Amino acid sequence: SSKLKTEELKQYAINFLNKQEGVTFVVDMENISSSSLPDAIKSKIIAGYNKDRSGAIQILLKPGPLEPAEWNLVRTHSRWSAAMAGAIANLNPLTVPAILHHHERWDGRGYPSQLAGEAIPLSARIFAVCDVFDALRSKRVYKEALSLDASLLELYSEVERGHLELRLVKALEEVIQRDPLKFELMTYPA
């Protein structure tokens, strides 16, 4: 039915935006109802939803290495997501830069703009640490979820490889140390 499709689409949009945001300080989804979304963003959500349903989402489920064309498609998500979020009225101004630049690297070898160090917006650097931590703690078709200790070690390895900012990884570790059981229980199925 049409109502079911509308509810399914709304849930997809909320899940998509929540996943892209990664951290709750960036956007409050409770203040965004489907009726408050402008037509431009509704169109983009519908297009993304239909694209995912048609098979593009299979890239994320691929058990082996991605081909160069698949990587190129994956690398478009931050621009597409930032454009979509930018169409939302009254959005926290930290949101779009966080989404757009969360795959930049501290050493400048990231995407989409090859920004380095403090040229990367702080919101994006925080988002990047949270996003990597979430990926490490999540089971994927190509890997098991890592333990909390292994995830922290890997975050520090990402610092050494030039991906993440040391200060922010230390800050996340301090937050985890305040309530390690809470974070130990945070694993996500594929």
Side-chain angles (χ1 to χ4, degrees):
S1 81
S2 177
K3 183 175 178 172
L4 180 61
K5 176 128 176 129
T6 301
E7 283 304 308
E8 188 179 322
L9 185 59
K10 181 180 175 186
Q11 191 58 50
Y12 172 86
I14 290 168
N15 290 344
F16 179 84
L17 290 172
N18 278 335
K19 182 64 178 168
Q20 295 306 308
E21 297 309 298
V23 287
T24 56
F25 78 87
V26 178
V27 64
D28 180 1
M29 285 304 299
E30 292 176 15
N31 294 328
I32 301 172
S33 68
S34 62
S35 61
S36 70
L37 291 175
D39 288 342
I41 196 166
K42 286 181 188 175
S43 298
K44 288 178 181 183
I45 290 171
I46 290 167
Y49 176 79
N50 288 334
K51 185 176 183 180
D52 283 355
R53 297 256 332 238
S54 71
I57 196 71
Q58 295 305 312
I59 289 174
L60 299 177
L61 302 175
K62 186 175 179 180
L66 299 181
E67 301 295 327
E70 293 169 324
W71 269 116
N72 288 338
L73 181 60
V74 167
R75 287 186 179 109
T76 66
H77 88 273
S78 59
R79 286 188 189 278
W80 183 83
S81 300
M84 186 173 66
I88 300 173
N90 302 317
L91 195 64
N92 183 313
L94 298 174
T95 302
V96 173
I99 294 170
L100 180 61
H101 297 294
H102 75 280
H103 284 291
E104 302 289 357
R105 292 173 48 101
W106 189 248
D107 63 11
R109 294 184 300 133
Y111 64 90
S113 303
Q114 293 78 47
L115 299 177
E118 294 190 3
I120 305 166
L122 178 60
S123 60
R125 298 187 328 252
I126 293 168
F127 184 179
V129 171
C130 295
D131 190 42
V132 170
F133 179 75
D134 175 68
L136 294 169
R137 297 289 291 142
S138 300
K139 181 179 179 180
R140 303 289 167 91
V141 293
Y142 53 86
K143 71 166 198 70
E144 292 297 317
L146 295 183
S147 70
L148 185 58
D149 289 340
S151 296
L152 285 170
L153 286 173
E154 184 59 29
L155 286 175
Y156 282 105
S157 293
E158 290 295 323
V159 168
E160 291 173 13
R161 289 191 283 272
H163 182 186
L164 302 173
E165 180 181 357
L166 176 61
R167 169 178 72 113
L168 297 178
V169 171
K170 285 181 177 180
L172 176 61
E173 183 177 24
E174 288 173 16
V175 169
I176 291 169
Q177 287 174 348
R178 285 187 220 136
D179 192 356
L181 182 58
K182 174 183 173 183
F183 287 90
E184 190 59 53
L185 297 175
M186 292 174 101
T187 59
Y188 311 100

